């Protein structure tokens, strides 16, 4: 959703030649994708040009790895995917890093969700494993929302009994996640991350897990510096990722806290802000 905020980061960048950018990392929803969840028409051509330049393009999302891999299936060879808000990083099907939750934490969050539902809240949990996502609700409206971000998901009787490494628990609130679901998870905030990742979503992860931690680990592995990294984001789960890049961009539609954290401002997700900025600054 659009926000108003002041002051804003600069939109005019004093660049006279192509930047030495080796890594471009972008959030998906509200950032690379427009409000209809569609990729820009010229994305594939731009990715081909970046590959020719030796620039690695990396999606970083709360979406599961299977969803991201399907979206980029035609160009996925060699790409790194930062999935599940940084808890799972994969390249060519091989895990580079992960940060799974303890089963006791998954059980605790599940109990909170069940209590909320019993009290009349319209909330559902998505228990996000490496192999699949797992849900207990099977109503059509909830599964439609789950399917947007988790192409690989299963309805099970008890999400705490699945045999998988659980990376995070994502809660979908049909109302306001910030006003209803997040406060119910406050007891976990002292030991774990409780991140509002969208208007209707809250994610529970290990305190050590976020997109920024995953990005810094990737930079170390590839020998890429923050000065050689360009990052785009729009919401609160992107904050740490912005800190890992000298060229950090908040979208024009971003949450005010994201705008305040980023060094620069990009056009909105509906105005193809990511690719317009990349094309301009890298002289593609």
């Amino acid at each position: 959703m659009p926000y108003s905020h002041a002051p804003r980061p600069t939109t005019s960048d004093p660049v006279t030649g192509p930047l030495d950018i080796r890594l471009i990392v972008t959030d998906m929803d509200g950032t690379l994708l427009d409000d209809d969840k569609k990729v820009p028409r010229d994305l594939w051509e731009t990715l081909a040009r970046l590959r020719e330049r030796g620039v690695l393009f990396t999606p970083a999302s709360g979406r599961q790895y299977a969803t991201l891999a399907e979206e980029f299936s035609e160009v996925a060879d060699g790409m790194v995917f930062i999935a599940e808000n940084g808890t799972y990083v994969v390249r060519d099907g091989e895990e580079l890093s992960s940060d799974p939750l303890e089963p006791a934490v998954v059980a605790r969050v599940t109990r909170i969700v069940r209590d909320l539902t019993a009290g009349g809240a319209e909330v559902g949990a998505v228990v996000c494993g490496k192999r699949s996502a797992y849900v207990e609700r099977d109503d059509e409206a909830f599964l439609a929302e789950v399917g947007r971000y988790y192409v690989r998901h299963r309805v099970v009787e008890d999400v705490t009994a699945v045999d998988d490494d659980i990376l995070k628990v994502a809660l979908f609130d049909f109302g306001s996640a910030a006003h209803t679901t997040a406060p119910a998870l406050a007891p976990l905030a002292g030991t774990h991350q409780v991140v509002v990742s969208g208007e209707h979503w809250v994610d529970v992860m290990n305190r050590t897990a976020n997109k920024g931690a995953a990005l810094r680990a990737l930079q170390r592995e590839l020998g890429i510096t923050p000065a050689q990294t360009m990052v785009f984001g729009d919401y609160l789960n992107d904050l740490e990722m912005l800190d890992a890049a000298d060229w950090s961009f908040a979208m024009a539609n971003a949450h005010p806290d994201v705008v305040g954290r980023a060094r620069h401002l990009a056009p909105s997700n509906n105005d193809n802000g990511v690719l317009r900025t990349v094309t301009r600054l890298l002289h593609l």
Side-chain angles (χ1 to χ4, degrees):
M1 70 167 52
Y3 294 90
S4 60
H5 25 53
R8 287 186 168 186
T10 179
T11 57
S12 58
D13 311 303
V15 180
T16 57
L19 297 174
D20 178 26
I21 296 296
R22 310 279 181 87
L23 176 62
I24 297 172
V25 184
T26 179
D27 174 55
M28 294 288 286
D29 298 278
T31 302
L32 180 66
L33 306 183
D34 64 20
D35 286 348
D36 293 326
K37 309 296 184 184
K38 297 187 181 300
V39 300
R41 287 184 303 173
D42 50 348
L43 174 62
W44 313 118
E45 180 181 354
T46 302
L47 293 186
R49 292 181 179 180
L50 291 172
R51 191 177 292 250
E52 290 173 358
R53 292 248 189 119
V55 179
L56 181 64
F57 183 91
T58 295
S61 175
R63 295 174 177 229
Q64 70 180 167
Y65 165 64
T67 304
L68 295 174
E70 180 179 275
E71 184 78 67
F72 291 89
S73 59
E74 295 185 5
V75 294
D77 289 350
M79 288 184 71
V80 175
F81 296 96
I82 298 175
E84 305 282 15
N85 275 333
T87 61
Y88 196 37
V89 182
V90 181
R91 184 174 197 168
D92 292 332
E94 297 293 327
E95 177 181 318
L96 299 183
S97 65
S98 65
D99 196 348
L101 288 166
E102 291 292 330
V105 176
V106 178
R108 186 178 178 187
V109 176
T110 301
R111 286 195 299 271
I112 291 173
V113 174
R114 289 171 179 169
D115 289 344
L116 284 170
T117 302
E122 280 295 322
V123 179
V126 184
V127 173
C128 307
K130 290 182 179 179
R131 295 192 296 272
S132 178
Y134 308 91
V135 299
E136 292 178 351
R137 286 185 61 155
D138 61 359
D139 55 290
E140 184 177 344
F142 176 68
L143 292 179
E145 295 297 335
V146 172
R148 290 175 182 263
Y149 309 101
Y150 303 93
V151 296
R152 191 173 296 167
H153 63 270
R154 291 169 47 198
V155 178
V156 297
E157 184 175 346
D158 182 358
V159 293
T160 67
V162 299
D163 181 19
D164 201 347
D165 290 328
I166 305 305
L167 302 162
K168 77 175 196 288
V169 182
L171 280 63
F172 179 80
D173 190 323
F174 282 91
S176 169
H179 292 143
T180 303
T181 309
L185 296 167
L188 283 162
T191 55
H192 291 76
Q193 290 196 73
V194 179
V195 182
V196 179
S197 58
E199 182 180 0
H200 301 287
W201 290 95
V202 181
D203 293 332
V204 179
M205 305 175 293
N206 286 331
R207 184 165 291 282
T208 51
N210 57 64
K211 292 182 183 181
L215 173 53
R216 291 183 190 277
L218 180 61
Q219 289 169 324
R220 289 193 297 270
E221 178 169 331
L222 300 177
I224 293 175
T225 68
Q228 295 170 317
T229 306
M230 185 177 289
V231 168
F232 298 86
D234 78 304
Y235 216 79
L236 301 178
N237 58 334
D238 298 321
L239 289 173
E240 294 87 356
M241 182 171 70
L242 297 171
D243 297 338
D246 287 5
W247 290 91
S248 60
F249 291 84
M251 311 308 290
N253 54 287
H255 189 285
D257 290 352
V258 176
V259 174
R261 193 86 150 242
R263 296 181 181 223
H264 307 279
L265 189 71
S268 79
N269 63 317
N270 288 323
D271 293 326
N272 196 10
V274 172
L275 296 192
R276 286 174 59 188
T277 301
V278 168
T279 299
R280 178 172 61 86
L281 292 181
L282 272 62
H283 293 194
L284 296 181

